[in-house]
Amino acid sequence: MSRNYIYELSGLEDGKRVDIAGWVQDIRKLKNVAFLMVRDNTGIIQATLKLDNETTKHMINELTRESVIKLTGILNKHSPAKGGVEVQTIDLSLLNRSLTPLPLGIADPVEADFDTRFNNRFLDLRKPERLKIFHVESELLWGIRKFLNSEHFVEVHTPKIVAAATEGGADLFGVKYFEKNAYLNQSPQLYKEMLMSAGFDRVFEVGPAFRAEEHNTPRHLNEFTSIDIEMSFSDHNDAMSMLERSVKAGIESVALSNTFRDLDSTEIEVPEIPFPRISYQKCIDYLHKNGVEMEFGVDFSPEQLKIVGEQFKSFYFITEWPSQVRAFYTMPKENNNLVTNSFDLQYRDKEITSGAQRIHEVDMLEKRLKEKGLNPADFEFHLKAFRYGMPPHAGWGLGLERLTMILLDLQNIREVSLFPRDRTRIVP
RNA sequence: GCCCCGAUAGUGUAGUGGCCUAUCAUACGAGCCUGUCGAGCUCGUGACACGGGUCCAAAUCCCGUUCGGGGCGCCA
């Protein structure tokens, strides 16, 4: 089926014969002429249709909004239509008729509720502003992938079905695995580290992470996409540098892309690097200075994070987190065991990435496991990799949805998930 | 898991005990209009989440259920 994409029509010459295909977003029927607003994934254009015979009249009466059509016509670049470009229809064929009324309107001025939108997500996604979100996300990821590739990272795929509670902390979803009980992995952390022992030097993975947490917030999903890296012979500073350059590369890729075509393009601001660093302790000091209570050794509340974030206009790192709030594998700071060589990447009050230098000495790792109330025996498959030559290493995990959300200034993470999995939704 | 709030046509809403035979917009259907562009105009179809209770009378008050929203907590 040869066809012209709608966004390219304005670049073609007047009077040219064109074939377009897409959805009929709106139909305006007058006595002798009808106007169809035809949309494909690149844009929308008006097609005119002379109602000068019974066949055409009948066809127009049969047409419904959101039906799929194909039409051949002559490009008119001197049209009184908005944008000055329209197509004079010569031949119209209905490829698939839509039922009426629609469960949610595409062209209607009334916006549907969240629940209605996600119950009819395939329709909701037909709106150009929704489609745009996923184009941006794709472009962002391509930018990061290309950058990591240029830094000699190998893209890997680790198992999502795992045997044991991997890290403590987050709850896992259980699955039946033949005669055994298994779980959906909450992060590729342990596998990435084993690959450091395996000599991969630098790996990254883009994949789903599952968290069986009963949270109900605009910034959590129970299944989200995590971009994870791990790098050998590196510390937390190397990892932070790699992170800020990855984020910049991703955003640059969005800014330079032609993703938007003729859709409304958003102002994408490429951030300056290096991002500012502020230690956990300095954040507490800042809160105290502003009359807000906060004790050492706990995570920030959303309210506290909002205050901390006021100091920065975009991305910044919070470093040196206390070991109480970090995972067992996080490397303690030399000369100060209360804090760790760890960091979070924040955007104002939102956490996007968590990372750290990892412990590479097995004795220390076992000690930390016990301190966290975990049983080293459960981690034997993992600890083994540390006994035969594990290089020092560091890494991070970045929430793709969260980064996209920030870039587009969206208020709910579900907007950035095609089919979000939250506390109650598993369909569609 | 805790607290707060909500559920009315396909969609989004108004309606705080009788004036509800339920408002408005949009969608949908029929028609009018020689070019619309948030088209316009006329007519029409279409709804009180479910179960129980209070009351002469319930969309409206009470209880429960289901579903949803917001905030918090939980959360490498």
Side-chain angles (χ1 to χ4, degrees), chain A residues 2-240:
Chain A
S2 87
R3 63 174 166 133
N4 301 97
Y5 282 108
I6 286 168
Y7 85 104
E8 67 185 9
L9 295 182
S10 59
L12 301 179
E13 52 186 89
D14 189 47
K16 190 176 162 57
R17 191 187 159 107
V18 294
D19 297 293
I20 61 175
W23 288 261
V24 181
Q25 184 165 112
D26 200 7
I27 303 161
R28 282 191 276 276
K29 202 185 73 162
L30 282 74
K31 194 174 187 182
N32 296 313
V33 64
F35 301 95
L36 307 181
M37 303 306 295
V38 182
R39 184 192 68 242
D40 70 11
N41 77 317
T42 70
I44 186 159
I45 196 162
Q46 173 168 291
T48 63
L49 193 60
K50 289 239 169 3
L51 302 178
D52 53 6
N53 63 73
E54 286 310 310
T55 317
T56 310
K57 281 182 190 169
H58 179 74
M59 189 171 221
I60 277 294
N61 277 329
E62 285 298 294
L63 254 194
T64 53
R65 280 185 174 189
E66 294 305 314
S67 289
V68 177
I69 58 144
K70 174 176 174 269
L71 69 81
T72 301
I74 300 300
L75 194 63
N76 174 7
K77 296 185 77 174
H78 307 288
S79 154
K82 272 187 186 163
V85 182
E86 67 177 18
V87 176
Q88 297 273 2
T89 307
I90 299 168
D91 185 50
L92 170 69
S93 43
L94 177 59
L95 302 182
N96 204 96
R97 188 173 185 273
S98 170
L99 291 179
T100 60
L102 296 163
L104 91 90
I106 307 298
D108 298 21
V110 287
E111 182 60 282
D113 285 346
F114 240 84
D115 203 38
T116 309
R117 286 181 47 205
F118 284 99
N119 285 336
N120 300 282
R121 188 61 157 156
F122 68 96
L123 272 179
D124 183 52
L125 290 169
R126 286 187 194 175
K127 297 184 183 181
E129 66 266 32
R130 309 269 192 264
L131 180 69
K132 183 175 79 179
I133 294 168
F134 297 95
H135 278 208
V136 166
E137 190 178 70
S138 170
E139 207 54 56
L140 185 62
L141 184 53
W142 274 111
I144 293 172
R145 266 207 170 96
K146 278 186 234 165
F147 170 74
L148 290 174
N149 182 61
S150 78
E151 290 286 329
H152 312 294
F153 280 80
V154 177
E155 182 162 10
V156 297
H157 301 92
T158 63
K160 301 305 152 205
I161 300 174
V162 297
T166 50
E167 298 171 38
D171 285 329
L172 304 181
F173 290 106
V175 291
K176 279 254 168 285
Y177 193 79
F178 305 114
E179 65 279 2
K180 292 174 181 152
N181 287 321
Y183 301 89
L184 294 178
N185 210 175
Q186 65 174 107
S187 113
Q189 184 59 33
L190 305 185
Y191 291 93
K192 287 191 299 179
E193 291 196 66
M194 285 189 276
L195 292 175
M196 295 302 98
S197 179
F200 277 52
D201 194 61
R202 291 180 165 194
V203 299
F204 81 98
E205 173 164 13
V206 181
F210 304 91
R211 305 277 165 93
E213 304 293 339
E214 298 195 10
H215 36 49
N216 190 217
T217 78
R219 61 186 181 281
H220 288 97
L221 290 169
N222 294 285
E223 176 178 353
F224 64 94
T225 305
S226 179
I227 305 174
D228 269 87
I229 79 152
E230 204 67 32
M231 50 203 285
S232 288
F233 305 102
S234 302
D235 64 13
H236 52 296
N237 290 314
D238 300 320
M240 277 191 276

